[in-house]
Amino acid sequence: MIIEIERLQLYYSAFHALKNVNLSIPENRVTAFIGPSGCGKSTLLRTLNRMNDTIPGVRIEGEVTIQGRNIYGSETEVEFLRKRVGMVFQQPNPFPKSIYDNVAYGPRLHGVTKKAELDGIVERSLRSASLWQEVKDVLKKSAWSLSGGQQQRLCIARALAVEPEILLMDESTSALDPISTTKIEELTRELREKYTIVMVTHNMHQAARISDRTVFFLNGEVVEASDTEALFRSPVDQRTEDYISGRFG
Amino acid sequence: MKAKTVDRIMTGVIVGVAVLIIAVLAGLLGYLLVRGLRHISLDFLLSPPQTIKAGGGIGPQLFNSLFLLVLTMIITIPLGLGAGIYMSEYAKPNRLTAFIRLIVEVLSSFPSIVVGLFGLLVIVNMFGLGFSLFSGALALTVFNLPLMVRITEQSLRSVPREQKEAGLALGLSRWRTITSVLLPVAIPSIVTGTILAAGRVFGEAAALLFTAGMSSPRLDFSDWNPLHHTSPLNPFRPAETLAVHIWKINSEGLAPDAAQIAAGASAVLVITVLIFNLGARWLGRVLYRKLTASK
Ligand SMILES: Nc1ncnc2c1ncn2[C@@H]1O[C@H](COP(=O)(O)OP(=O)(O)O)[C@@H](O)[C@H]1O
Ligand SMILES: [Mg+2]
């Protein structure tokens, strides 16, 4: 287990958003968070790279350990944590720069300066994100000139360029067309060979298609977490069954 | 039926008001330019004014206005950027922040004659800086700085939240995210806003009457040592700016061609401010294209 979450409580000021979450996330697998809108999927995902730190009024109790180290401990450097735990957002958000500069951005700011080294990182990252073939001749073009699906894969390449071990994806296909969605789903399956992937989706078919493990949330609580096949074939909790059979949400 | 009539009437009223405003503006601009352009020549722009003879120019005043603008900007740009970044990225949303914001608003809307008198009392007399370019620059800072703070804060706030999160999620520190993600996106609008604010500084008269003064020493334009008394670059000499000059010759000018000089100087002032405005927009667009590689 690469990530262990124990007795996690999260409050947005007075609002209790995550209630006593206990969860283990395995290495080199795709773990999907499903559940109705507003149940706390994004909130939990963002505790894993401490993006919630930027929101005023957030209070967190309990423990999150990644490879045995408490990421909320005083000796953890947030910047170092976020380098190891990359994130892809719902809306593609490339920087208003060239395709090359988007991917080279993180490595540059983390101290890589040699052109040849950067070129290598950019090519490798774009290949990993299945984008290289489409953009290798237009690396100097603005990232904003790409289609939405290409932009999202560029964001994946940008995240991979700083060599994370874990990749968080928050509904990263929900703003895309079906073809782009399929591309990113296939990509996700490939990426798990080298990365641990935690994804939020409100589309349970997507979870069924590509995840190894599925966690079902309701009102800030984990209702059920198990292997994807088992969860969809024979859910233990009545509420899980109601949800996956489409009776609510 | 009735709603439709009301809609028609209101549309008519709004269009009428807009046309009226544009007509007044165009008329004013046309009047100033038609009256003034005739008197503008290279000689007029470069030569010093005459007290009682005809044929004086506005050379030193034009130089003073530009130099004062530069001085003011040297003071306000770094301070304004710093405070603006603080207000948008670091200040917690509490009472103190709200109070600072209120003060900034109040300062920027202070009547400029009051700022001028305050400058006379505090800067010129109390701190003993005398009538000088530096005193003038400090007085202009009083209402230029709040503008700079607000421009910077709003430009940074208008950068999409997703951009900031993208930077943080790559493991950049907060400061790095500000300087390398937020600022490049915000710079075009900061630059545009700054130049527009500079236009106001350039045309300001009331705040300068009692701070930068209403006279200029004889300037030696071949001496560029800022420490020399007659050097144009000396920031501690009194300096009459173009706007102050217009006010002065209009109220007490003795030269026979005072009216024409005032008209010419006004046209120069208006044209310069227009250039500032158009230049600001142009530069903003160019920077945006450059910084976002969206060619
Ligand atoms: N910044 C915030 N401040 C206050 N409440 C928030 C904030 N972000 C999310 N919430 C609340 O926390 C709950 C969980 O939100 P979220 O994790 O975004 O849900 P999901 O991703 O499952 O749709 C929701 O009720 C939401 O309104
Ligand atoms: Mg969400």
Side-chain angles (χ1 to χ4, degrees):
Chain A
M1 293 294 153
I2 187 167
I3 305 175
E4 298 275 5
I5 301 166
E6 278 169 50
R7 302 179 313 279
L8 183 73
Q9 316 275 356
L10 186 143
Y11 302 84
Y12 290 114
S13 302
F15 178 67
H16 198 174
L18 294 177
K19 299 165 192 158
N20 193 29
V21 172
N22 293 284
L23 194 64
S24 304
I25 293 174
E27 198 166 358
N28 290 76
R29 292 282 178 278
V30 179
T31 301
F33 292 175
I34 62 168
S37 187
C39 65
K41 306 180 296 291
S42 300
T43 301
L44 182 63
L45 196 72
R46 292 162 62 92
T47 57
L48 302 181
N49 65 345
R50 292 186 58 173
M51 282 302 273
N52 288 324
D53 289 18
T54 59
I55 300 170
V58 167
R59 208 172 79 242
I60 294 168
E61 291 162 15
E63 229 173 59
V64 179
T65 53
I66 293 183
Q67 287 172 337
R69 299 187 56 146
N70 181 6
I71 63 168
Y72 285 93
S74 54
E75 75 283 5
T76 298
E77 262 187 70
V78 181
E79 286 82 30
F80 183 64
L81 169 73
R82 293 195 187 131
K83 204 167 160 277
R84 292 173 52 208
V85 185
M87 188 163 203
V88 181
F89 297 82
Q90 180 169 5
Q91 289 291 333
N93 58 353
F95 297 128
K97 299 181 180 294
S98 72
I99 295 168
Y100 183 98
D101 286 340
N102 262 277
V103 185
Y105 209 80
R108 270 195 189 126
L109 283 162
H110 289 297
V112 181
T113 51
K114 286 203 203 76
K115 173 94 171 71
E117 199 179 344
L118 281 173
D119 286 352
I121 294 175
V122 169
E123 176 170 348
R124 232 178 307 127
S125 308
L126 285 170
R127 279 190 194 281
S128 302
S130 318
L131 191 58
W132 177 250
Q133 288 306 325
E134 289 156 70
V135 301
K136 64 174 193 263
D137 298 320
V138 290
L139 290 175
K140 290 275 168 285
K141 260 180 91 175
S142 167
W144 287 5
S145 66
L146 298 173
S147 73
Q150 289 174 322
Q151 288 190 13
Q152 195 62 298
R153 277 179 283 147
L154 180 64
C155 291
I156 294 175
R158 179 178 66 188
L160 298 182
V162 296
E163 299 178 348
E165 290 140 51
I166 299 168
L167 195 59
L168 310 176
M169 303 171 79
D170 192 349
E171 301 198 23
S172 299
T173 60
S174 67
L176 305 180
D177 60 90
I179 293 175
S180 305
T181 299
T182 309
K183 279 218 171 96
I184 291 194
E185 287 183 0
E186 285 166 0
L187 175 59
T188 310
R189 294 294 298 172
E190 287 165 22
L191 287 176
R192 87 186 170 138
E193 310 259 311
K194 280 164 73 185
Y195 307 91
T196 301
I197 294 175
V198 187
M199 57 182 285
V200 168
T201 174
H202 66 212
N203 174 348
M204 52 187 159
H205 302 292
Q206 183 170 59
R209 275 196 301 273
I210 60 178
S211 73
D212 303 296
R213 281 186 68 81
T214 298
V215 184
F216 173 58
F217 286 80
L218 203 57
N219 300 326
E221 286 177 85
V222 173
V223 173
E224 192 165 344
S226 61
D227 286 348
T228 300
E229 240 195 74
L231 187 128
F232 281 98
R233 191 167 16 84
S234 49
V236 175
D237 197 289
Q238 182 62 39
R239 290 169 293 175
T240 315
E241 184 167 358
D242 288 348
Y243 183 73
I244 61 178
S245 56
R247 256 169 286 195
F248 71 92
Chain B
M1 197 61 213
K2 195 155 163 269
K4 213 168 178 182
T5 324
V6 172
D7 186 53
R8 269 216 199 106
I9 294 175
M10 288 317 290
T11 309
V13 168
I14 290 168
V15 170
V17 170
V19 167
L20 190 73
I21 291 173
I22 292 172
V24 168
L25 273 178
L28 199 66
L29 203 62
Y31 176 76
L32 277 172
L33 291 181
V34 166
R35 252 175 44 116
L37 277 179
R38 264 175 291 155
H39 304 288
I40 301 180
S41 62
L42 199 60
D43 191 46
F44 177 71
L45 290 179
L46 297 180
S47 61
Q50 299 287 347
T51 328
I52 39 178
K53 280 189 298 178
I58 54 167
Q61 283 72 21
L62 193 55
F63 176 84
N64 286 343
S65 285
L66 291 171
F67 188 33
L68 184 62
L69 178 65
V70 171
L71 276 182
T72 308
M73 287 306 173
I74 287 176
I75 301 174
T76 55
I77 288 176
L79 289 177
L81 274 180
I85 290 174
Y86 173 79
M87 291 302 280
S88 118
E89 299 304 316
Y90 290 93
K92 299 229 163 59
N94 56 22
R95 282 238 189 96
L96 180 69
T97 309
F99 184 66
I100 295 177
R101 198 161 280 132
L102 180 74
I103 290 188
V104 168
E105 297 277 315
V106 169
L107 271 186
S108 68
S109 53
F110 249 37
S112 47
I113 188 74
V114 177
V115 174
L117 286 172
F118 169 84
L120 177 67
L121 286 175
V122 176
I123 304 168
V124 174
N125 292 335
M126 215 165 99
F127 292 132
L129 287 168
F131 289 133
S132 67
L133 277 162
F134 192 59
S135 303
L138 287 180
L140 291 177
T141 297
V142 171
F143 45 64
N144 191 244
L145 183 58
L147 272 181
M148 283 303 304
V149 175
R150 208 162 52 187
I151 289 162
T152 308
E153 182 181 356
Q154 282 175 356
S155 306
L156 283 173
R157 274 186 198 283
S158 66
V159 178
R161 194 189 147 75
E162 290 80 28
Q163 291 285 317
K164 185 171 159 186
E165 294 203 318
L168 292 173
L170 283 176
L172 307 189
S173 66
R174 196 138 72 127
W175 178 243
R176 269 290 174 77
T177 305
I178 293 170
T179 55
S180 59
V181 178
L182 297 187
L183 275 181
V185 181
I187 280 280
S189 60
I190 294 179
V191 168
T192 305
T194 304
I195 301 180
L196 291 178
R200 177 167 173 208
V201 166
F202 194 79
E204 179 57 45
L208 296 175
L209 294 174
F210 314 120
T211 51
M214 286 179 267
S215 63
S216 237
R218 186 164 291 285
L219 296 180
D220 177 2
F221 277 92
S222 61
D223 179 0
W224 295 100
N225 184 337
L227 300 175
H228 288 178
H229 221 64
T230 54
S231 162
L233 285 188
N234 183 345
F236 295 104
R237 65 179 172 85
E240 182 192 37
T241 64
L242 197 55
V244 172
H245 188 60
I246 293 170
W247 175 80
K248 209 173 80 180
I249 44 181
N250 254 328
S251 53
E252 53 190 51
L254 295 177
D257 58 352
Q260 283 93 316
I261 290 178
S266 304
V268 171
L269 194 64
V270 168
I271 291 171
T272 315
V273 172
L274 270 181
I275 292 176
F276 270 99
N277 277 263
L278 297 177
R281 273 157 233 286
W282 173 79
L283 192 62
R285 269 204 309 277
V286 169
L287 279 177
Y288 181 81
R289 271 210 304 273
K290 257 206 132 60
L291 290 169
T292 61
S294 59
K295 265 164 260 164

